[in-house]
Amino acid sequence: MSIQPLLDALGIQEDAARALADDLRIQIGELQGRLREAETHLEHLAITRKTVTGLADRLPAALPDLPEHPDYPCILAVFHNATGPLRARDVCEALDHELLPKNTERTRAKLKRLVKLDILAEVDTGSFTRKQQPAEHHDQQL
């Protein structure tokens, strides 16, 4: 019996196994590259999460839902820049409204509404200020 056909068959199988091993090495190399990219992306996401959570305490509180009128954000901006309580007349002046009784009364009504929404506080009759936030109160005590 001749052993040559058996050796030829083994050679064919060895060549096929070698080609498969070479293909798998190439795939492993590609997968290792993709794995490195995925790990780097994960590291960047972890850094981003750490940065965002570290800054979260410094972000201003979300603005409350305001009534739909263009004066409300402007009124809040006036109070944000104020150093003390304001009256409706002061807010009218800051908003460049004419100092007419109807404008003052409309502004006073808006201020009262902001008090009801727990955004402003009426410290004395007709005298309004921003509600003290817990973080602001803590900062002022330091």
Side-chain angles (χ1 to χ4, degrees), residues 78-100:
V78 169
F79 277 93
H80 181 72
N81 294 323
T83 57
L86 298 173
R87 302 185 71 73
R89 180 180 174 91
D90 302 325
V91 175
C92 281
E93 282 182 288
L95 297 176
D96 292 327
H97 292 316
E98 283 188 78
L99 295 178
L100 300 174

Side-chain angles (χ1 to χ4, degrees), residues 8-119:
D8 290 342
L10 279 173
I12 291 171
Q13 286 185 2
E14 284 176 336
D15 290 343
R18 196 172 290 111
L20 177 62
D22 289 343
D23 287 344
L24 290 173
R25 283 187 198 94
I26 290 170
Q27 288 179 17
I28 289 170
E30 291 170 355
L31 288 173
Q32 284 176 333
R34 290 176 56 194
L35 177 60
R36 277 190 300 275
E37 290 173 9
E39 288 173 339
T40 300
H41 187 62
L42 271 172
E43 288 175 16
H44 291 168
L45 290 172
I47 291 167
T48 301
R49 177 180 296 280
K50 185 176 180 179
T51 302
V52 168
T53 55
L55 293 174
D57 293 340
R58 298 181 193 170
L59 293 175
L63 283 180
D65 290 332
L66 296 175
E68 297 221 7
H69 190 281
D71 277 353
Y72 285 100
C74 299
I75 290 170
L76 289 183
V78 169
F79 277 93
H80 181 72
N81 294 323
T83 57
L86 298 173
R87 302 185 71 73
R89 180 180 174 91
D90 302 325
V91 175
C92 281
E93 282 182 288
L95 297 176
D96 292 327
H97 292 316
E98 283 188 78
L99 295 178
L100 300 174
K102 66 178 186 177
N103 291 338
T104 305
E105 288 307 313
R106 284 184 193 144
T107 301
R108 182 176 289 107
K110 289 175 185 149
L111 297 176
K112 294 273 188 181
R113 187 161 186 198
L114 291 172
V115 169
K116 285 183 182 176
L117 291 172
D118 207 31
I119 298 169

